[in-house]
Amino acid sequence: MRITSALVDPALLDLPWATPLEEWPAEHLVALPQGISRHIVRFVRLGGYVYAVKETGERVAEREYDLLRALERIDFPAVEAVAIVADRHAPDGQPLDPVLITRHLQFSLPYRALFSHTLRPETLERLLDALAALIVRMHLTGFFWGDCSLSNTLFRRDAGAFAAYLVDAETGALHSSLSNGQRGEDLEIARVNIFGEALDLQAAGLLHESVDPEMVCEEVVQRYERLWHEITYEQQVERDARHDIERRIRRLNEMGFDVAEVALSTIDNGRYLVRPKVVDAGYHTRRLLRLTGLDAEENQARKLLNDLDAYRAESDLTDEQQAAHRWLTEVFEPVVRAVPAHLRRKLEPQELFTQIVEHKWLLSERAGRDVGMGPAVQSFLSDVLVHRPDEQAVLGVDVDAV
């Protein structure tokens, strides 16, 4: 047996590598829902972490491992590659397929878990937005997926929306940039795969009666094209209307994209042709991480920063770093600590805080006054959180409740 690993964990040696993956005993496995896969996949717990173990060919495993490691270096939303285990043999000497090990993404939901109950159309729209944004970010990075589908994606809650993560990269390729033809091919593959998945959901009675499977795959492509246009189109502005350039940059930042530079060229009648160079998503995520050390999804980060900015204004603090430190220790951390231990597996801390802030706003609207954070926390814990499933461990049960 030969192990190639980015994170050396001696516990890997204790797994039954001489047994085919589909025959692994239950004592080594963690019961988590998973999407449709052409490979045998099992989940195991080692040293406090859950890992996904997938049997595949050696060359395919090595290629996917290298790609996932490359995506990790550029901070792309994908699962983390941990190891390849090759040269496996059964006790009778029969060779066994190599496996690729990735770290399971905590609080993530495969799409079939989201559809375990008939999904409301508005929740489906949020899901499609997340997938379209993932493909846009992927193409900006120069990554060609080659097998874009709901099955190859994981979703995490993101302050009322979803954030999408790439799971399967075995058909992918990382380039310096993609041509329109490569982007079009990826979109056509996505269209076909998602149409098939939507038909499968419809046959199982898990697609809302108002949702057309063909609409699902077309919506992903249309949402992708609208977002791609907004990020990349060339804009004509008057010479004396430079605020239009600033407005465009601010709008892109609000959408979560960083602008590295702006290309300007003069055209007829004294106007400018403007094209911003968008380098990556995660504008609010990076600002929150820089100020507080909290790692959050983009929409979560936007809401956390809004609360931080409101705290800073109320406290008359001019120094942003000082305000961030005080908000973290006086607001965020006390709210998270107020959650009893037996309820902490239901939502990750950043999502928990954003939902409590939203709950506080609803209570205040109902009462016609600011009810305060303390009562809002207690109300959320007793009236909302206690009824939620443990998304850290048992996914796919009533996930459409919020």
Side-chain angles (χ1 to χ4, degrees), residues 225-237 244 247-249 251-252 255 263 273-278:
E225 290 175 342
R226 287 196 297 267
L227 183 55
W228 184 267
H229 172 75
E230 178 63 32
I231 290 171
T232 60
Y233 80 94
E234 291 185 331
Q235 177 183 12
Q236 293 186 17
V237 300
D244 287 345
R247 186 182 300 120
R248 174 100 185 266
I249 294 173
R251 189 164 67 247
L252 290 170
M255 293 166 61
L273 192 63
V274 179
R275 181 166 186 171
K277 180 182 179 182
V278 175

Side-chain angles (χ1 to χ4, degrees), residues 102-113:
T102 57
R103 181 173 291 181
H104 176 65
L105 189 64
Q106 279 196 328
F107 297 98
S108 62
L109 304 157
Y111 86 100
R112 293 192 71 85

Side-chain angles (χ1 to χ4, degrees), residues 233-277:
Y233 80 94
E234 291 185 331
Q235 177 183 12
Q236 293 186 17
V237 300
E238 301 295 334
R239 186 180 292 271
D240 59 351
R242 298 178 184 177
H243 60 280
D244 287 345
I245 302 174
E246 296 178 3
R247 186 182 300 120
R248 174 100 185 266
I249 294 173
R250 286 178 180 272
R251 189 164 67 247
L252 290 170
N253 289 161
E254 288 169 1
M255 293 166 61
F257 290 91
D258 271 336
V259 177
E261 59 190 37
V262 177
L264 292 173
S265 58
T266 57
I267 56 178
D268 295 338
N269 303 321
R271 289 176 296 173
Y272 289 112
L273 192 63
V274 179
R275 181 166 186 171
K277 180 182 179 182

Side-chain angles (χ1 to χ4, degrees), residues 157-370:
R157 295 195 180 278
D158 184 13
F162 289 102
Y165 284 76
L166 179 145
V167 178
D168 193 320
E170 66 180 43
T171 58
L174 191 58
H175 306 279
S176 57
S177 63
L178 296 183
S179 67
N180 289 336
Q182 288 172 311
R183 291 194 303 107
E185 182 181 351
D186 235 2
L187 288 178
E188 187 57 31
I189 292 171
R191 191 197 310 268
V192 172
N193 285 345
I194 294 169
F195 181 54
E197 290 165 330
L199 286 174
D200 178 60
L201 291 169
Q202 185 183 58
L206 298 177
L207 203 61
H208 195 277
E209 60 184 13
S210 65
V211 177
D212 180 359
E214 189 171 355
M215 178 278 295
V216 174
C217 63
E218 292 298 331
E219 274 290 308
V220 171
V221 175
Q222 291 173 13
R223 288 163 194 255
Y224 168 92
E225 290 175 342
R226 287 196 297 267
L227 183 55
W228 184 267
H229 172 75
E230 178 63 32
I231 290 171
T232 60
Y233 80 94
E234 291 185 331
Q235 177 183 12
Q236 293 186 17
V237 300
E238 301 295 334
R239 186 180 292 271
D240 59 351
R242 298 178 184 177
H243 60 280
D244 287 345
I245 302 174
E246 296 178 3
R247 186 182 300 120
R248 174 100 185 266
I249 294 173
R250 286 178 180 272
R251 189 164 67 247
L252 290 170
N253 289 161
E254 288 169 1
M255 293 166 61
F257 290 91
D258 271 336
V259 177
E261 59 190 37
V262 177
L264 292 173
S265 58
T266 57
I267 56 178
D268 295 338
N269 303 321
R271 289 176 296 173
Y272 289 112
L273 192 63
V274 179
R275 181 166 186 171
K277 180 182 179 182
V278 175
V279 289
D280 201 3
Y283 175 81
H284 299 94
T285 295
R286 281 187 282 274
R287 182 184 169 218
L288 180 71
L289 186 64
R290 174 175 56 82
L291 288 173
T292 67
L294 293 176
D295 189 8
E297 301 292 350
E298 184 65 14
N299 287 322
Q300 291 172 348
R302 183 185 291 108
K303 292 199 173 186
L304 291 171
L305 288 167
N306 287 342
D307 197 74
L308 166 58
D309 291 339
Y311 172 84
R312 179 184 174 190
E314 293 168 1
S315 306
D316 290 328
L317 294 170
T318 56
D319 185 272
E320 188 178 53
Q321 290 286 353
Q322 181 186 5
H325 176 72
R326 286 184 53 179
W327 172 85
L328 185 66
T329 56
E330 297 177 10
V331 180
F332 181 85
E333 291 177 349
V335 167
V336 173
R337 285 198 300 268
V339 180
H342 68 283
L343 297 179
R344 290 177 184 168
R345 294 166 62 88
K346 293 182 178 290
L347 292 171
E348 61 178 342
Q350 292 85 336
E351 180 67 19
L352 173 77
F353 187 88
T354 61
Q355 291 197 20
I356 288 176
V357 169
E358 181 68 16
H359 187 70
K360 175 177 175 287
W361 182 85
L362 292 173
L363 292 179
S364 299
E365 283 287 296
R366 204 173 299 155
R369 60 179 177 81
D370 187 348

Side-chain angles (χ1 to χ4, degrees), residues 6-125:
L7 301 172
V8 179
D9 188 345
L12 287 175
L13 298 172
D14 298 331
L15 293 173
W17 297 118
T19 304
L21 204 53
E22 62 181 342
E23 299 175 11
W24 276 20
E27 65 207 54
H28 292 286
L29 304 181
V30 177
L32 287 176
Q34 63 186 71
I36 298 172
S37 173
R38 66 176 68 90
H39 305 287
I40 301 296
V41 179
R42 295 290 183 265
F43 294 102
V44 299
R45 184 183 300 278
L46 295 174
Y49 293 101
V50 175
Y51 298 94
V53 184
K54 177 176 75 173
E55 277 185 340
T56 185
E58 183 169 0
R59 292 184 63 184
V60 173
E62 291 174 350
R63 187 170 183 276
E64 186 171 9
Y65 177 85
D66 290 340
L67 269 175
L68 289 174
R69 294 279 289 160
L71 291 175
E72 181 184 353
R73 284 192 290 270
I74 60 177
D75 198 28
F76 185 82
V79 293
E80 177 186 350
V82 174
I84 299 172
V85 181
D87 295 340
R88 299 169 59 214
H89 291 85
D92 62 1
Q94 182 72 20
L96 301 176
D97 287 335
V99 301
L100 173 69
I101 304 174
T102 57
R103 181 173 291 181
H104 176 65
L105 189 64
Q106 279 196 328
F107 297 98
S108 62
L109 304 157
Y111 86 100
R112 293 192 71 85
L114 287 163
F115 282 94
S116 60
H117 295 79
T118 302
L119 208 64
R120 295 197 305 261
E122 56 268 30
T123 308
L124 175 60
E125 290 180 4

